[in-house]
């Protein structure tokens, strides 16, 4: 009876174990050869067919590795004079350095030639063209300096989509009382700057200034929603202004002035408002001439 009970218990336990085994069982085949994780590499040789006996080592037979080798330079010939040291040479002047650079690389872009070359004559054999085959326009040499105030990307909505352009605001001036504000738009930034510079040269005005490089009197100007206030300043004050107003005054040559933007912050409108305020100014001699009185009578 006990034996029968033991057999039934073993059968139930084996059935329980078999029921816990998953339905998918993986069997790995036994390898025919033992797997070795160690891998053998053959040594890399540049001359696989060369032997150690083929290499000639007779050159090193007379060399003692323990002996210090001292380099013995050859004897200089008769009448040999060693060149002077670099530190002992006299310092070159700026003209000599400029002449050496001009001899190597040609005349400078500043228009100054030390060797007497004509920097305004372009070699006919050299073609100045861009990557797209367009002939580059030479920079206008009229004494006016250019300053880019702002470059913005503008989009125009058309029937087929949107057209992307760039708008540039440029101020030109000779820093001697003449200044101009221009705006231009093109598909490239360089083209927009060139167009705006041409437009600025068409709108050149003259700013009245005193001998202290400041305004003769205070003035205000507005353009659109922008309003600018200008005031004269004592010598040594400098240009106290910001944004486009400062650039316009600096390009005109004003060194002592006060400027304030009272309205919109639009750069183009502020620059044109500055031009409007300047155009309202008059010199003392102009006012005296209009009134028909001497200048001394203005301060009485």
């Amino acid at each position: 009876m006990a034996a029968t009970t033991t057999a039934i218990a073993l059968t139930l336990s084996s059935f329980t174990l078999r029921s816990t085994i998953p339905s998918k069982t993986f069997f790995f085949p036994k390898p025919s050869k033992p797997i070795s994780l160690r891998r053998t590499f053959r040594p890399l040789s540049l001359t696989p067919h060369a032997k150690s006996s083929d290499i000639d080592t007779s050159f090193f037979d007379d060399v003692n590795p323990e002996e210090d080798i001292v380099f013995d330079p050859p004897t200089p010939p008769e009448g040999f004079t060693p060149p002077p040291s670099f530190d002992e040479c006299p310092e070159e002047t700026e003209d000599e350095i400029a002449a050496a650079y001009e001899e190597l690389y040609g005349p400078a872009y500043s228009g100054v030639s030390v060797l007497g070359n004509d920097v305004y004559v372009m070699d006919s054999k050299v073609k100045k063209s861009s990557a797209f085959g367009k002939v580059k326009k030479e920079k206008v040499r009229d004494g006016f300096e250019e300053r880019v105030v702002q470059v913005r990307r503008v989009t125009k909505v058309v029937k087929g989509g949107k057209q992307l352009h760039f708008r540039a605001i440029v101020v030109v001036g000779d820093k001697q009382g003449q200044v101009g504000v221009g705006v231009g738009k093109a598909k490239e930034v360089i083209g927009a700057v060139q167009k705006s510079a041409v437009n600025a040269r068409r709108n050149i005005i003259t700013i009245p200034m005193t001998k202290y490089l400041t305004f003769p009197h205070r003035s205000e100007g507005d353009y659109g929603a922008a309003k600018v206030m200008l005031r004269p300043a004592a010598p040594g004050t400098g240009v106290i202004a910001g944004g486009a107003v400062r650039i316009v005054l600096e390009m005109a040559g004003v060194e002592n002035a006060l400027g304030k933007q009272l309205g919109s912050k639009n750069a183009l409108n502020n620059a044109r408002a500055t031009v409007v305020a300047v155009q309202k100014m008059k010199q003392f001699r102009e006012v005296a001439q209009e009134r028909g009185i001497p200048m001394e009578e203005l301060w009485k």
Side-chain angles (χ1 to χ4, degrees):
M1 187 66 181
T4 305
T5 305
T6 306
I8 293 172
L10 292 174
T11 304
L12 292 174
S13 62
S14 63
F15 176 76
T16 305
L17 290 173
R18 288 179 182 178
S19 62
T20 57
I21 297 176
S23 59
K24 294 183 179 180
T25 308
F26 301 94
F27 298 95
F28 297 95
K30 186 177 180 180
S32 58
K33 295 182 181 180
I35 299 175
S36 176
L37 299 178
R38 185 177 299 174
R39 192 173 181 182
T40 58
F41 295 93
R42 294 182 180 180
L44 180 62
S45 177
L46 298 178
T47 56
H49 302 288
K51 299 179 181 180
S52 59
S53 59
D54 298 339
I55 301 174
D56 185 14
T57 58
S58 60
F59 176 77
F60 300 97
D61 294 343
D62 299 335
V63 178
N64 185 9
E66 299 179 358
E67 182 181 359
D68 296 336
I69 301 176
V70 180
F71 175 72
D72 188 11
T75 306
E78 296 181 0
F80 173 76
T81 303
S85 176
F86 181 78
D87 298 331
E88 297 177 359
C89 296
E91 296 183 358
E92 296 180 344
T93 61
E94 295 183 359
D95 294 340
E96 293 177 351
I97 296 174
Y101 269 99
E102 185 175 348
E103 187 175 357
L104 291 174
Y105 305 109
Y109 290 101
S110 60
V112 179
S113 174
V114 181
L115 301 179
N117 297 322
D118 190 356
V119 297
Y120 300 106
V121 177
M122 187 182 72
D123 189 2
S124 59
K125 298 180 181 179
V126 179
K127 295 182 179 180
K128 292 187 177 182
S129 60
S130 62
F132 300 99
K134 299 179 181 178
V135 178
K136 288 185 178 180
K137 296 182 180 179
E138 294 186 0
K139 192 174 181 180
V140 181
R141 301 179 182 274
D142 54 357
F144 287 94
E145 298 183 11
E146 301 176 4
R147 181 86 66 85
V148 179
V149 178
Q150 187 185 71
V151 176
R152 278 192 173 181
R153 185 176 60 183
V154 294
T155 306
K156 180 181 179 182
V157 181
V158 295
K159 182 179 179 181
K162 296 182 179 180
Q163 293 181 354
L164 179 65
H165 292 81
F166 292 94
R167 189 194 71 170
I169 304 172
V170 174
V171 177
V172 300
D174 58 354
K175 295 186 178 181
Q176 294 181 0
Q178 292 187 336
V179 68
V181 179
V183 61
K185 186 170 63 174
K187 293 185 178 180
E188 297 180 358
V189 178
I190 299 177
V193 172
Q194 292 177 351
K195 285 185 178 180
S196 57
V198 173
N199 181 255
R201 284 178 169 83
R202 294 174 181 173
N203 302 318
I204 296 293
I205 64 168
T206 302
I207 295 182
M209 291 190 297
T210 63
K211 62 180 181 180
Y212 302 109
L213 299 179
T214 186
F215 302 128
H217 57 85
R218 60 179 59 188
S219 177
E220 294 181 359
D222 54 351
Y223 190 92
K227 187 176 182 180
V228 173
M229 176 184 66
L230 300 179
R231 298 288 185 270
T237 306
V239 179
I240 302 178
V245 179
R246 182 184 186 89
I247 297 177
V248 172
L249 298 182
E250 287 181 350
M251 298 304 293
V254 179
E255 296 184 0
N256 304 298
L258 304 175
K260 180 65 178 177
Q261 300 177 3
L262 301 176
S264 172
K265 296 182 180 179
N266 185 277
L268 179 59
N269 287 352
N270 277 297
R272 289 179 172 173
T274 307
V275 173
V276 172
V278 167
Q279 287 179 330
K280 293 181 180 179
M281 297 181 183
K282 294 182 180 180
Q283 293 283 16
F284 293 110
R285 60 175 177 271
E286 297 178 2
V287 177
Q289 187 176 3
E290 290 178 359
R291 295 183 183 181
I293 59 176
M295 290 183 58
E296 294 78 5
E297 297 291 333
L298 296 176
W299 287 276
K300 289 184 179 181

